[in-house]
Amino acid sequence: MLLNGAISAGVPPRCLVCGRELTLQERFVCLHCLLALPKTRMYYVNGDNSDLLDRLVGVPMPRHAASWFFYDRDSKYASIIRDAKYNDRPDLMRHLGRCFAEDAVRSDAFSGVDVLIPVPMYGRKEIRRGFNQSEYVARGISDVTGIPVGDNLEAVRGHSSQTRRSASERRRNIAGSFRVESPAELDGLHVAIVDDVITSGATIEECIRTLVAQAPGVSAFSIYSLGLARH
């Protein structure tokens, strides 16, 4: 990895947001930039998550629904998400998942959740990219909370890019993309779906619809993501 190479060459690692030299206690992003992160505060006690819930149509309302920060495509915070996704940085995605969980675990944001299920990625796409970023966000949350990560939700077909599509077009594009493996394993469980960034909410909706249809024994749903794109 580039970071390891920099350390071995004696070059100090720098913050991916502002470029400042990191201290020994910091990793990837400095404390200053973490404090300046445009957090949604959805996961705080009495936090307002209506901006996320308003994007869900025709699915059961989640028990918990929270994104860590507001995702603006032109911001440096968004750029580190893209860097992790497209430049093979699962370690960075996992670290960001931990940071989110460390913030949110101070409230009741994860209370009652039995299993974290990442939004799945179709096989060929995952091979090309090298990893599923949502899985590593979930692993980071699991590192902090101890909630296990499940793999019961699978992508059964690929779909064209969701970029530049309207919300209704995204729903049509993603429909029928997922299936549940071993649904009985989820009977009676509170399932949390984890994604890296939520935009229209179409992908999360399809995940919930699939679970409702194919794993009717699920007792409750929650939703978590690192980023929430602004409307």
Side-chain angles (χ1 to χ4, degrees):
M1 302 298 290
L2 292 176
L3 180 64
N4 293 335
I7 292 173
S8 63
V11 179
R14 294 188 174 275
C15 174
L16 297 177
V17 178
C18 70
R20 295 178 182 177
E21 184 176 325
L22 297 176
T23 68
L24 293 176
Q25 291 74 37
E26 296 170 334
R27 192 172 183 217
F28 298 119
V29 181
C30 69
L31 179 59
H32 172 83
C33 288
L34 283 176
L35 291 173
L37 187 75
K39 296 178 182 178
T40 68
R41 300 183 178 273
M42 292 176 179
Y43 45 90
Y44 291 168
V45 175
N46 298 322
D48 181 6
N49 61 2
S50 59
D51 194 9
L52 174 52
L53 295 178
D54 287 347
R55 306 183 196 205
L56 304 180
V57 177
V59 295
M61 281 294 98
R63 183 79 55 81
H64 306 296
S67 298
W68 189 27
F69 69 95
F70 287 110
Y71 180 94
D72 293 308
R73 288 189 59 84
D74 296 329
S75 76
K76 290 185 176 180
Y77 294 103
S79 71
I80 66 173
I81 298 289
R82 292 194 295 270
D83 177 59
K85 288 172 66 169
Y86 301 117
N87 292 305
D88 193 22
R89 301 297 302 274
D91 55 339
L92 175 53
M93 294 303 289
R94 188 166 187 163
H95 176 72
L96 294 174
R98 289 192 197 104
C99 290
F100 171 33
E102 286 168 355
D103 265 358
V105 79
R106 298 167 188 164
S107 68
D108 291 329
F110 300 105
S111 64
V113 174
D114 296 304
V115 61
L116 303 166
I117 296 187
V119 171
M121 184 179 289
Y122 188 56
R124 286 199 292 269
K125 183 176 182 181
E126 186 169 350
I127 290 171
R128 287 197 304 271
R129 184 167 295 176
F131 73 107
N132 176 1
Q133 67 274 3
S134 298
E135 176 189 346
Y136 280 83
V137 175
R139 289 187 185 186
I141 295 173
S142 178
D143 290 340
V144 174
T145 64
I147 302 169
V149 178
D151 59 359
N152 299 78
L153 199 58
E154 298 182 342
V156 295
R157 69 170 182 86
H159 58 83
S160 55
S161 173
Q162 296 280 65
T163 305
R164 297 187 179 87
R165 292 179 184 267
S166 68
S168 60
E169 289 171 338
R170 286 174 184 246
R171 291 185 181 97
R172 288 194 296 271
N173 189 45
I174 198 74
S177 293
F178 308 125
R179 78 177 182 92
V180 180
E181 175 71 19
S182 303
E185 293 180 354
L186 303 177
D187 284 354
L189 300 186
H190 178 170
V191 172
I193 302 169
V194 180
D195 206 355
D196 61 333
V197 177
I198 294 174
T199 49
S200 68
T203 300
I204 291 291
E205 283 179 3
E206 186 62 21
C207 288
I208 294 176
R209 287 193 185 96
T210 302
L211 285 163
V212 168
Q214 299 181 24
V218 170
S219 66
F221 298 95
S222 287
I223 296 168
Y224 304 106
S225 73
L226 292 182
L228 178 68
R230 293 185 189 271
H231 272 164

PDB file of all heavy atoms in Angstrom, residues 42-57:
ATOM      1  N   MET A  42     -27.505  12.750  13.071  1.00  0.00           N
ATOM      2  CA  MET A  42     -28.687  11.894  13.111  1.00  0.00           C
ATOM      3  C   MET A  42     -28.630  10.879  14.242  1.00  0.00           C
ATOM      4  O   MET A  42     -29.654  10.438  14.751  1.00  0.00           O
ATOM      5  CB  MET A  42     -28.837  11.135  11.788  1.00  0.00           C
ATOM      6  CG  MET A  42     -29.176  11.987  10.601  1.00  0.00           C
ATOM      7  SD  MET A  42     -29.202  10.968   9.101  1.00  0.00           S
ATOM      8  CE  MET A  42     -29.635  12.208   7.884  1.00  0.00           C
ATOM      9  N   TYR A  43     -27.414  10.475  14.580  1.00  0.00           N
ATOM     10  CA  TYR A  43     -27.251   9.384  15.536  1.00  0.00           C
ATOM     11  C   TYR A  43     -27.165   9.882  16.969  1.00  0.00           C
ATOM     12  O   TYR A  43     -27.026   9.093  17.900  1.00  0.00           O
ATOM     13  CB  TYR A  43     -25.981   8.583  15.202  1.00  0.00           C
ATOM     14  CG  TYR A  43     -24.788   9.457  14.892  1.00  0.00           C
ATOM     15  CD1 TYR A  43     -23.927   9.876  15.887  1.00  0.00           C
ATOM     16  CD2 TYR A  43     -24.548   9.877  13.586  1.00  0.00           C
ATOM     17  CE1 TYR A  43     -22.848  10.686  15.607  1.00  0.00           C
ATOM     18  CE2 TYR A  43     -23.461  10.691  13.295  1.00  0.00           C
ATOM     19  CZ  TYR A  43     -22.626  11.096  14.295  1.00  0.00           C
ATOM     20  OH  TYR A  43     -21.558  11.906  14.001  1.00  0.00           O
ATOM     21  N   TYR A  44     -27.248  11.189  17.171  1.00  0.00           N
ATOM     22  CA  TYR A  44     -27.272  11.716  18.524  1.00  0.00           C
ATOM     23  C   TYR A  44     -28.661  11.495  19.129  1.00  0.00           C
ATOM     24  O   TYR A  44     -29.644  11.285  18.420  1.00  0.00           O
ATOM     25  CB  TYR A  44     -26.951  13.213  18.537  1.00  0.00           C
ATOM     26  CG  TYR A  44     -25.527  13.547  18.172  1.00  0.00           C
ATOM     27  CD1 TYR A  44     -25.148  14.853  17.896  1.00  0.00           C
ATOM     28  CD2 TYR A  44     -24.547  12.569  18.089  1.00  0.00           C
ATOM     29  CE1 TYR A  44     -23.840  15.168  17.565  1.00  0.00           C
ATOM     30  CE2 TYR A  44     -23.242  12.881  17.751  1.00  0.00           C
ATOM     31  CZ  TYR A  44     -22.897  14.179  17.497  1.00  0.00           C
ATOM     32  OH  TYR A  44     -21.607  14.489  17.161  1.00  0.00           O
ATOM     33  N   VAL A  45     -28.757  11.539  20.432  1.00  0.00           N
ATOM     34  CA  VAL A  45     -30.045  11.430  21.095  1.00  0.00           C
ATOM     35  C   VAL A  45     -30.953  12.553  20.581  1.00  0.00           C
ATOM     36  O   VAL A  45     -30.563  13.721  20.538  1.00  0.00           O
ATOM     37  CB  VAL A  45     -29.886  11.531  22.629  1.00  0.00           C
ATOM     38  CG1 VAL A  45     -31.252  11.543  23.303  1.00  0.00           C
ATOM     39  CG2 VAL A  45     -29.040  10.366  23.144  1.00  0.00           C
ATOM     40  N   ASN A  46     -32.148  12.171  20.132  1.00  0.00           N
ATOM     41  CA  ASN A  46     -33.117  13.108  19.556  1.00  0.00           C
ATOM     42  C   ASN A  46     -32.617  13.761  18.261  1.00  0.00           C
ATOM     43  O   ASN A  46     -33.109  14.819  17.863  1.00  0.00           O
ATOM     44  CB  ASN A  46     -33.493  14.208  20.568  1.00  0.00           C
ATOM     45  CG  ASN A  46     -34.146  13.642  21.810  1.00  0.00           C
ATOM     46  OD1 ASN A  46     -34.926  12.702  21.746  1.00  0.00           O
ATOM     47  ND2 ASN A  46     -33.809  14.213  22.963  1.00  0.00           N
ATOM     48  N   GLY A  47     -31.649  13.114  17.600  1.00  0.00           N
ATOM     49  CA  GLY A  47     -31.171  13.637  16.324  1.00  0.00           C
ATOM     50  C   GLY A  47     -32.240  13.533  15.244  1.00  0.00           C
ATOM     51  O   GLY A  47     -33.082  12.631  15.259  1.00  0.00           O
ATOM     52  N   ASP A  48     -32.227  14.451  14.298  1.00  0.00           N
ATOM     53  CA  ASP A  48     -33.230  14.505  13.235  1.00  0.00           C
ATOM     54  C   ASP A  48     -32.729  13.729  12.018  1.00  0.00           C
ATOM     55  O   ASP A  48     -31.796  14.162  11.343  1.00  0.00           O
ATOM     56  CB  ASP A  48     -33.499  15.965  12.859  1.00  0.00           C
ATOM     57  CG  ASP A  48     -34.554  16.113  11.776  1.00  0.00           C
ATOM     58  OD1 ASP A  48     -35.163  15.094  11.388  1.00  0.00           O
ATOM     59  OD2 ASP A  48     -34.756  17.247  11.296  1.00  0.00           O
ATOM     60  N   ASN A  49     -33.356  12.585  11.737  1.00  0.00           N
ATOM     61  CA  ASN A  49     -32.945  11.806  10.574  1.00  0.00           C
ATOM     62  C   ASN A  49     -33.995  11.843   9.461  1.00  0.00           C
ATOM     63  O   ASN A  49     -34.037  10.973   8.596  1.00  0.00           O
ATOM     64  CB  ASN A  49     -32.649  10.355  10.963  1.00  0.00           C
ATOM     65  CG  ASN A  49     -33.858   9.641  11.556  1.00  0.00           C
ATOM     66  OD1 ASN A  49     -34.933  10.213  11.642  1.00  0.00           O
ATOM     67  ND2 ASN A  49     -33.665   8.395  11.948  1.00  0.00           N
ATOM     68  N   SER A  50     -34.842  12.862   9.479  1.00  0.00           N
ATOM     69  CA  SER A  50     -35.910  12.961   8.483  1.00  0.00           C
ATOM     70  C   SER A  50     -35.351  13.092   7.072  1.00  0.00           C
ATOM     71  O   SER A  50     -35.977  12.626   6.105  1.00  0.00           O
ATOM     72  CB  SER A  50     -36.836  14.145   8.796  1.00  0.00           C
ATOM     73  OG  SER A  50     -36.109  15.367   8.809  1.00  0.00           O
ATOM     74  N   ASP A  51     -34.181  13.713   6.915  1.00  0.00           N
ATOM     75  CA  ASP A  51     -33.595  13.871   5.584  1.00  0.00           C
ATOM     76  C   ASP A  51     -33.291  12.517   4.952  1.00  0.00           C
ATOM     77  O   ASP A  51     -33.362  12.353   3.734  1.00  0.00           O
ATOM     78  CB  ASP A  51     -32.315  14.711   5.673  1.00  0.00           C
ATOM     79  CG  ASP A  51     -31.853  15.201   4.317  1.00  0.00           C
ATOM     80  OD1 ASP A  51     -32.605  15.050   3.333  1.00  0.00           O
ATOM     81  OD2 ASP A  51     -30.732  15.727   4.220  1.00  0.00           O
ATOM     82  N   LEU A  52     -32.960  11.535   5.772  1.00  0.00           N
ATOM     83  CA  LEU A  52     -32.728  10.184   5.280  1.00  0.00           C
ATOM     84  C   LEU A  52     -34.041   9.412   5.128  1.00  0.00           C
ATOM     85  O   LEU A  52     -34.292   8.787   4.092  1.00  0.00           O
ATOM     86  CB  LEU A  52     -31.783   9.444   6.225  1.00  0.00           C
ATOM     87  CG  LEU A  52     -31.507   7.962   5.966  1.00  0.00           C
ATOM     88  CD1 LEU A  52     -31.067   7.720   4.531  1.00  0.00           C
ATOM     89  CD2 LEU A  52     -30.445   7.453   6.938  1.00  0.00           C
ATOM     90  N   LEU A  53     -34.899   9.477   6.116  1.00  0.00           N
ATOM     91  CA  LEU A  53     -36.151   8.727   6.066  1.00  0.00           C
ATOM     92  C   LEU A  53     -37.045   9.169   4.919  1.00  0.00           C
ATOM     93  O   LEU A  53     -37.773   8.356   4.337  1.00  0.00           O
ATOM     94  CB  LEU A  53     -36.902   8.873   7.389  1.00  0.00           C
ATOM     95  CG  LEU A  53     -36.235   8.273   8.631  1.00  0.00           C
ATOM     96  CD1 LEU A  53     -37.078   8.539   9.870  1.00  0.00           C
ATOM     97  CD2 LEU A  53     -35.989   6.784   8.453  1.00  0.00           C
ATOM     98  N   ASP A  54     -36.990  10.461   4.571  1.00  0.00           N
ATOM     99  CA  ASP A  54     -37.828  10.979   3.489  1.00  0.00           C
ATOM    100  C   ASP A  54     -37.479  10.355   2.136  1.00  0.00           C
ATOM    101  O   ASP A  54     -38.266  10.453   1.182  1.00  0.00           O
ATOM    102  CB  ASP A  54     -37.701  12.499   3.386  1.00  0.00           C
ATOM    103  CG  ASP A  54     -38.406  13.217   4.520  1.00  0.00           C
ATOM    104  OD1 ASP A  54     -39.183  12.566   5.244  1.00  0.00           O
ATOM    105  OD2 ASP A  54     -38.161  14.428   4.701  1.00  0.00           O
ATOM    106  N   ARG A  55     -36.317   9.716   2.036  1.00  0.00           N
ATOM    107  CA  ARG A  55     -35.903   9.111   0.762  1.00  0.00           C
ATOM    108  C   ARG A  55     -36.404   7.679   0.604  1.00  0.00           C
ATOM    109  O   ARG A  55     -36.244   7.079  -0.462  1.00  0.00           O
ATOM    110  CB  ARG A  55     -34.378   9.144   0.644  1.00  0.00           C
ATOM    111  CG  ARG A  55     -33.834  10.545   0.826  1.00  0.00           C
ATOM    112  CD  ARG A  55     -32.345  10.636   0.641  1.00  0.00           C
ATOM    113  NE  ARG A  55     -31.860  11.899   1.191  1.00  0.00           N
ATOM    114  CZ  ARG A  55     -30.753  12.522   0.809  1.00  0.00           C
ATOM    115  NH1 ARG A  55     -30.001  11.987  -0.126  1.00  0.00           N
ATOM    116  NH2 ARG A  55     -30.394  13.663   1.364  1.00  0.00           N
ATOM    117  N   LEU A  56     -36.990   7.132   1.645  1.00  0.00           N
ATOM    118  CA  LEU A  56     -37.464   5.756   1.601  1.00  0.00           C
ATOM    119  C   LEU A  56     -38.935   5.733   1.226  1.00  0.00           C
ATOM    120  O   LEU A  56     -39.756   6.418   1.837  1.00  0.00           O
ATOM    121  CB  LEU A  56     -37.252   5.091   2.952  1.00  0.00           C
ATOM    122  CG  LEU A  56     -35.818   5.110   3.496  1.00  0.00           C
ATOM    123  CD1 LEU A  56     -35.754   4.427   4.845  1.00  0.00           C
ATOM    124  CD2 LEU A  56     -34.851   4.461   2.513  1.00  0.00           C
ATOM    125  N   VAL A  57     -39.270   4.931   0.216  1.00  0.00           N
ATOM    126  CA  VAL A  57     -40.638   4.888  -0.300  1.00  0.00           C
ATOM    127  C   VAL A  57     -41.134   3.449  -0.292  1.00  0.00           C
ATOM    128  O   VAL A  57     -40.490   2.550  -0.847  1.00  0.00           O
ATOM    129  CB  VAL A  57     -40.696   5.447  -1.738  1.00  0.00           C
ATOM    130  CG1 VAL A  57     -42.118   5.338  -2.286  1.00  0.00           C
ATOM    131  CG2 VAL A  57     -40.208   6.883  -1.779  1.00  0.00           C
TER     132      VAL A  57
END
